[in-house]
Amino acid sequence: MTTYLDHAATTPVRPEVADAYARALQVAGNPSSLHAAGRAARRVLEESRESIAADLGADPAEVILTAGGTEADNLAVQGIWRARAKEGRPGLVTSAVEHHAVLETAQHLAEHEGAETHELGVDVTGVVRTEELAELLAEQGERTGLVSVMWANNEVGTIQPIEQVASIAREHAVPVHSDAVQAVGQVPVDFAASGLDALSFSGHKLGAPIGIGALLARRGLGLVPVQHGGGQERSVRSGTLPHASFAALAAAVGAAVTDLAVEAQRRARLRDRLIAGVLEAVPDAELRGAPGAGRLPGNAHFTFSGADADALLFTLDAAGVCASSGSACQAGVQQPSHVLLAMGADDGAARSAVRLTLGWSSSEEDVEALLAALPEAVARARAAYRPRPSQQRAAVKEAS
Ligand code: PLP
């Protein structure tokens, strides 16, 4: 039997979502067609939009359908920044721990369109330095077109002071976007109350199928379209509207926000048991990220000094436990996590990271299976450890 501890990567489709999806798939029409079949599909789409808006404190007109979190992030960062850049505001502020969907988009705008980017630093637990944002905007607020800071981090689970970020930016009339892909369904999210101008989320982190998500965008927020075509979604996001996937998204958001407090407590209890068990089994393991309520209820993240994360994950996988390092893998080679480096970890620690994430279907058995497999996996990963050339050089330098 497989123990799945990688819910932050994607979480299984919930049964009630699969039912809603199957029902909506029976409605065969293009929501943009004017005939009866089209109108039936449109009804499914608009009811789903209303349900998502009600669950997340937004107006239905503020919900823009996307194919997921990456597209929503791209639409927000490119769309808002391009609109402001035209008004003489080329500044683009992110945090150093954003998902690549935001960081790479910002980098692209810097390289090709003259965006003046600034990455806010974080403290050792991964919390963004809001005083740095306040200082920066006091100096350059008039030249800044967008601030984009994630609601919660996908690697270490740290929750950001998002309302404070929004209120600092508002003082300088700078729009704020938040990537809430890991937050929606894990912590309470109310778009209107947050003070944000735009917020991204993704269905497959909530129990909907992969390939559907949304951007919440405040009414009146200028947004230059990224995707051109048939003019759907008020010409902001063209493309035939997948009403059945959107119905699945609405069902998943509904399921995740109903009883959120109870489920968050259940998940946090499991997480705390997992954390205590890991620290007991491997006393020198280092828990990264914020303590207690400062981290997502489903996130635990450790570094195991002197262990090779790839070998550790491979051994866990062989024992039936699916986990992740949480950071990007390029051409099959694990990259040191930019999040851990920004939090002050060294290259060696950043290569020995393991993220264990719980979700709606997680149970105590999952935690126990991990704890049973972990000691041997860590021992093997330590035996397999070979310092990378840069670490070897550093070690030689230290010794001499
Ligand atoms: N933002 C964050 C914080 C994420 O964790 C992810 C996915 O891992 C994304 C964006 C991208 O979302 P999607 O997989 O729906 O494109």
Side-chain angles (χ1 to χ4, degrees):
M1 213 185 73
T2 301
T3 299
Y4 187 72
L5 290 173
D6 200 11
H7 289 261
T10 195
T11 200
V13 173
R14 294 172 188 257
E16 63 270 49
V17 173
D19 289 347
Y21 190 35
R23 275 197 306 280
L25 282 170
Q26 301 303 315
V27 183
N30 182 329
S32 300
S33 299
L34 296 179
H35 48 56
R39 292 198 304 277
R42 172 63 68 174
R43 195 170 319 119
V44 170
L45 189 90
E46 295 310 330
E47 284 173 7
S48 305
R49 197 190 302 279
E50 281 167 22
S51 163
I52 290 168
D55 283 336
L56 296 179
D59 187 280
E62 296 176 321
V63 182
I64 302 167
L65 177 158
T66 68
T70 302
E71 190 198 325
D73 284 345
N74 270 267
L75 177 57
V77 175
Q78 297 187 43
I80 300 171
W81 180 81
R82 283 190 183 130
R84 296 305 177 288
K86 282 191 214 156
E87 298 164 359
R89 290 173 163 249
L92 172 48
V93 182
T94 63
S95 84
V97 296
E98 296 300 307
H99 189 269
H100 287 287
V102 167
L103 285 183
E104 300 294 322
T105 305
Q107 198 178 327
H108 175 87
L109 292 174
E111 282 170 11
H112 300 281
E113 300 183 34
E116 293 171 12
T117 52
H118 181 99
E119 283 182 12
L120 300 169
V122 295
D123 71 12
V124 70
T125 66
V127 176
V128 72
R129 296 192 186 282
T130 49
E131 68 282 6
E132 190 180 325
L133 177 64
E135 278 168 30
L136 181 75
L137 294 188
E139 271 177 28
Q140 300 182 20
E142 282 177 13
R143 283 184 60 72
T144 305
L146 176 65
V147 171
S148 182
V149 173
M150 69 200 326
W151 197 304
N153 185 262
N154 48 301
E155 293 186 31
V156 295
T158 300
I159 298 169
Q160 300 296 350
I162 209 66
E163 289 182 13
Q164 202 186 337
V165 168
S167 113
I168 293 169
R170 206 167 37 242
E171 281 173 33
H172 301 275
V174 178
V176 190
H177 161 250
S178 185
D179 172 342
V181 167
Q182 296 289 341
V184 170
Q186 287 223 64
V187 292
V189 169
D190 183 320
F191 182 57
S194 68
L196 292 168
D197 297 279
L199 177 153
S200 312
F201 69 99
S202 176
H204 73 102
K205 313 288 184 178
L206 296 163
I210 294 172
I212 188 74
L215 178 70
L216 305 181
R218 182 178 55 70
R219 273 180 300 177
L221 177 71
L223 200 58
V224 174
V226 170
Q227 198 162 298
H228 305 276
Q232 290 89 344
E233 297 297 81
R234 291 175 284 116
S235 293
V236 174
R237 193 268 185 187
S238 287
T240 300
L241 295 159
H243 60 285
S245 302
F246 209 47
L249 180 67
V253 173
V257 305
T258 310
D259 294 335
L260 184 123
V262 173
E263 169 57 14
Q265 263 182 22
R266 184 193 77 89
R267 224 176 272 184
R269 267 199 306 275
L270 277 183
R271 175 202 65 192
D272 292 345
R273 161 76 192 117
L274 186 154
I275 290 173
V278 169
L279 295 176
E280 198 184 318
V282 187
D284 64 350
E286 209 171 322
L287 179 69
R288 304 280 175 166
R295 77 186 308 136
L296 290 172
N299 175 288
H301 183 287
F302 298 93
T303 53
F304 298 93
S305 66
D308 182 86
D310 288 349
L312 210 164
L313 295 171
F314 181 79
T315 314
L316 284 179
D317 192 27
V321 179
C322 300
S324 157
S325 70
S327 64
C329 182
Q330 274 165 20
V333 179
Q334 203 59 48
Q335 299 298 306
S337 153
H338 68 286
V339 174
L340 291 178
L341 294 178
M343 288 162 61
D346 62 24
D347 197 69
R351 288 181 191 276
S352 70
V354 174
R355 178 186 71 179
L356 303 158
T357 47
L358 304 156
W360 66 270
S361 58
S362 299
S363 65
E364 277 175 29
E365 288 74 53
D366 294 326
V367 174
E368 297 313 319
L370 177 264
L371 296 178
L374 189 69
E376 192 192 330
V378 173
R380 285 191 182 207
R382 284 186 166 152
Y385 186 72
R386 299 264 179 289
R388 312 269 159 154
S390 61
Q391 290 165 248
Q392 269 169 350
R393 276 197 299 278
V396 170
K397 239 175 157 183
E398 257 172 42
S400 60

